[in-house]
Amino acid sequence: MENIRAAEPAFSVTSCTARRVLEIVSNKWAVLIIFVLEKGTKRYGQLQRSIADISQKMLTQTLRQLERDGLIERSVLPEVPPVVEYTLTPMGESLIPYLRQLNHWLNEHYPQIEQARKDYDAREKFKADKSTQTV
């Protein structure tokens, strides 16, 4: 993973590919679904129970997008009622190490991010308080 930069072209914020990748990894529901499916094939209800606070609509939309992107596979089993299962494709599985690396970075740096937010909010509050005093 350390040699990723040497092997790939420079990141371009105007690149359609870069924007698409960011769309996927910035979607919290997509990332959570991928992490749940990392443990194996799951049915729709199992996914919904595994991911707190996801609505049925959002789960359905995210599963469709992940399927469209080729990251998961949807299988309908011929049962009554029909059983639908979801599993990661090999491409979806290949994304997991990168998501884990991002998760590691977030865990390592989140206390700093929280502190930066508190500092920023305090500065903004001070500015706002100061501006109301001069009126």
Side-chain angles (χ1 to χ4, degrees), residues 42-122:
K42 300 283 186 256
R43 293 181 179 181
Y44 185 92
Q46 291 172 308
L47 285 168
Q48 193 165 28
R49 285 187 297 278
S50 297
I51 303 170
D53 301 328
I54 191 167
S55 68
Q56 188 173 357
K57 178 182 176 184
M58 189 52 61
L59 178 57
T60 299
Q61 286 177 351
T62 307
L63 287 168
R64 284 184 183 148
Q65 188 61 52
L66 289 170
E67 183 181 9
R68 182 173 181 250
D69 292 340
L71 299 174
I72 66 170
E73 188 174 274
R74 179 180 184 267
S75 301
V76 181
L77 304 178
E79 297 181 16
V80 177
V83 173
V84 180
E85 294 182 332
Y86 297 90
T87 190
L88 288 174
T89 63
M91 186 169 57
E93 289 175 359
S94 74
L95 184 56
I96 290 171
Y98 300 99
L99 294 176
R100 287 206 178 286
Q101 189 172 18
L102 180 59
N103 188 49
H104 174 77
W105 183 90
L106 286 167
N107 286 330
E108 184 176 327
H109 294 283
Y110 201 73
Q112 294 166 277
I113 292 169
E114 282 184 317
Q115 187 59 53
R117 289 176 176 178
K118 287 177 185 175
D119 294 347
Y120 176 89
D121 292 345

Side-chain angles (χ1 to χ4, degrees), residues 119-135:
D119 294 347
Y120 176 89
D121 292 345
R123 285 191 312 272
E124 291 302 305
K125 184 179 181 331
F126 177 76
K127 287 180 196 175
D129 291 347
K130 195 172 181 179
S131 70
T132 58
Q133 290 175 358
T134 59
V135 173

